[in-house]
Amino acid sequence: MSFTETTLLSFCSTRTKRMIKSTNWKVPRLYFTITEKYISVHLCHDDWLNALSLMVLYVDQFMENSEVSKLRNSSLELRFMKLGFTRENRIPVEYYGKSYDVIQVLNEFLDDSRHELYKHFIALFPNTPKIQLNTEAGTDLRLVPISKYVRDLKLSGLEADVDYAEEYFSKCKNLQRAVVEPVLKGEVKENSKITSVKRLLCLNTELQTRSLIFKFNGQVATFQNCRCNVNVIIDVLKLWISNEAFQNVERLSMIRMYCSWDNIPWWTEDVVLQAIESSPSDPSKRPDNCGKKYEVVSWIIKPLKCADYRDITRKTDGKRASFHVDASSFRFVVWN
C-alpha cells in the first residue's frame, strides 16, 4: 500500500492511524492552504515533486462514483475521489507533477471539517518540524484554525486590508516566519505583528515600502516590488550606522517594482555612495560570500556573493555590514 493510500485510509481506520503514529513516519513539512472553497494539504520533503497532495473540496452534494467514508470519532462524512481537479473547472489536473486525491466534504460541515481535518493531520504526524499555513485573503478567519505547532504563515491573494492581515498573523502565538503576497491597504501600525516577525517576505510591497521597511524589527526580510526612490535605501543605511533602527537585522533586500508608467527614478549606487561613507571589501575583515540561506515558509532566500559589496561600520559597537545597489535591487548583510 502506498504512502498516499495509507494516509487516506487513516481517515476511516483507527488501526491505520495508530500504525502511522507508532511507526513515527518522518514528514519534514506539512503545508496547508485554506480558502473559502477548499483546503489543500501537502506532506512533503523539500522536493515538492514527491509531495503527497490532498484537496478537501467543499461541495453542495457528493459527486458520482465517489467512495463514502466517515472520519472516526466524528460525525463528519467524507467521500474520496482518486482524480485530481482544477480548482476552477473541476477537471483532472497534474499539480507539482502529481494529481490531487480529492476529499469531498458537504458545505453544511464546512466550519467543523476544517478543525477536524487539521487536527487529524497534526495528530497523525506530531513530530513534523515544519507546519506551514497559507490562507487566501478574504477567507473568514473564524474558519482558519492555527494550532500551537504552527510557526510559519503565508497570506496569499491580490489585495488585503492591513487590519485583516494583522488579525490573521496575530492568530499565531509564536510566529517566526511570514510571507505577505497581497498589496496591503491601510496604515501599518507600530509594533505590528507583520513587521516584528523574525523572517519576512513581502511580495508586493509597492507604496507601503517606507512603512513596512522602517517598522521592520526582525532579522531577515525581503521586500519585492518596491515603489520608492533611492533615498529610502540611504535612510536605511544611515539608521543602521547610527544604531537608531535595524538592530536585529542579519539580511535585508529590496527589489524595485518595474512599471512602464511609473515616474520613480531607477536606483543609482553613485547617489548612495555620495551620501554614505563606505569602503571597498576587505578580505581580512569579512568573507567574500554570505553562505547562509534562509527559508521563509516555502521561499528560499539564497546565499550572497559579496566580494564587490561596499562595507560600512556601525558607530556604537563597530559591527560591520556590506551593501550593494544597482538599478533595481538593494542587498544588505550584517557580518558580526
Side-chain angles (χ1 to χ4, degrees):
M1 186 179 294
S2 70
F3 178 70
T4 301
E5 291 169 334
T6 305
T7 303
L8 288 172
L9 186 59
S10 72
F11 282 95
C12 50
S13 168
T14 303
R15 179 180 295 178
T16 304
K17 185 175 180 179
R18 284 202 209 98
M19 183 272 291
I20 293 175
K21 293 178 69 174
S22 64
T23 53
N24 196 24
W25 282 1
K26 301 296 183 183
V27 178
R29 186 195 306 267
L30 274 172
Y31 188 88
F32 296 87
T33 298
I34 296 182
T35 76
E36 294 282 1
K37 297 293 185 182
Y38 68 90
I39 298 175
S40 66
V41 186
H42 300 285
L43 289 78
C44 57
H45 298 265
D46 290 333
D47 179 7
W48 287 79
L49 289 175
N50 293 321
L52 162 63
S53 299
L54 300 175
M55 178 181 285
V56 181
L57 189 66
Y58 294 98
V59 295
D60 292 327
Q61 60 183 22
F62 290 129
M63 300 174 192
E64 295 181 0
N65 302 320
S66 53
E67 181 183 346
V68 182
S69 186
K70 206 168 189 179
L71 191 62
R72 285 284 179 174
N73 303 317
S74 170
S75 61
L76 182 63
E77 186 177 276
L78 311 170
R79 291 204 179 189
F80 298 116
M81 296 195 72
K82 293 298 290 180
L83 291 175
F85 279 82
T86 60
R87 295 185 283 272
E88 295 81 12
N89 302 319
R90 294 186 181 180
I91 58 176
V93 66
E94 293 290 317
Y95 186 76
Y96 288 122
K98 290 191 175 185
S99 294
Y100 273 110
D101 291 286
V102 176
I103 301 173
Q104 298 173 65
V105 178
L106 294 177
N107 279 320
E108 62 186 274
F109 295 109
L110 187 147
D111 291 6
D112 293 336
S113 67
R114 293 174 187 266
H115 291 274
E116 293 284 355
L117 294 169
Y118 190 73
K119 288 190 297 183
H120 181 84
F121 279 104
I122 298 297
L124 208 59
F125 306 104
N127 298 317
T128 302
K130 296 177 184 176
I131 301 176
Q132 302 167 333
L133 181 62
N134 171 25
T135 301
E136 184 180 53
T139 302
D140 187 344
L141 294 180
R142 293 173 298 177
L143 305 179
V144 180
I146 298 180
S147 79
K148 62 181 180 180
Y149 303 103
V150 174
R151 303 288 184 271
D152 301 2
L153 292 182
K154 177 183 177 182
L155 182 64
S156 59
L158 298 177
E159 292 185 355
D161 185 80
V162 165
D163 291 338
Y164 177 90
E166 191 69 32
E167 181 183 354
Y168 170 61
F169 288 110
S170 296
K171 287 172 70 74
C172 185
K173 301 304 181 184
N174 191 19
L175 184 63
Q176 302 292 311
R177 292 162 287 270
V179 175
V180 183
E181 182 180 41
V183 175
L184 295 179
K185 301 295 184 180
E187 183 65 26
V188 179
K189 298 179 175 63
E190 294 289 343
N191 302 315
S192 164
K193 188 78 170 184
I194 300 169
T195 53
S196 60
V197 69
K198 286 185 178 179
R199 299 181 189 177
L200 174 65
L201 172 59
C202 290
L203 297 177
N204 291 288
T205 311
E206 296 202 11
L207 293 175
Q208 289 277 15
T209 300
R210 274 189 168 275
S211 183
L212 287 167
I213 289 177
F214 291 128
K215 291 173 182 173
F216 179 66
N217 193 35
Q219 297 173 351
V220 178
T222 295
F223 300 94
Q224 297 185 3
N225 289 313
C226 297
R227 291 184 65 194
C228 65
N229 59 38
V230 75
N231 289 335
V232 171
I233 295 172
I234 293 171
D235 289 343
V236 167
L237 294 173
K238 285 182 176 179
L239 288 169
W240 184 85
I241 291 170
S242 64
N243 205 20
E244 295 178 62
F246 308 112
Q247 290 90 347
N248 301 317
V249 163
E250 298 175 9
R251 284 268 299 272
L252 193 148
S253 301
M254 295 169 57
I255 310 299
R256 188 189 184 280
M257 184 178 187
Y258 173 74
C259 293
S260 58
W261 46 265
D262 207 333
N263 59 1
I264 298 175
W266 292 99
W267 300 337
T268 307
E269 188 173 52
D270 287 345
V271 175
V272 178
L273 297 182
Q274 291 173 17
I276 300 295
E277 183 179 346
S278 64
S279 61
S281 63
D282 185 344
S284 67
K285 294 183 178 179
R286 57 95 164 167
D288 282 343
N289 300 315
C290 175
K292 194 171 182 179
K293 71 176 182 180
Y294 300 87
E295 182 178 348
V296 186
V297 191
S298 57
W299 292 74
I300 300 296
I301 299 176
K302 297 180 179 180
L304 294 175
K305 296 180 179 180
C306 310
D308 60 344
Y309 283 27
R310 303 289 298 186
D311 289 357
I312 55 176
T313 303
R314 193 154 66 189
K315 295 178 180 178
T316 56
D317 57 8
K319 184 168 282 192
R320 183 175 291 269
S322 302
F323 71 90
H324 176 74
V325 182
D326 60 30
S328 60
S329 68
F330 166 63
R331 314 283 185 186
F332 178 74
V333 56
V334 178
W335 294 107
N336 51 10

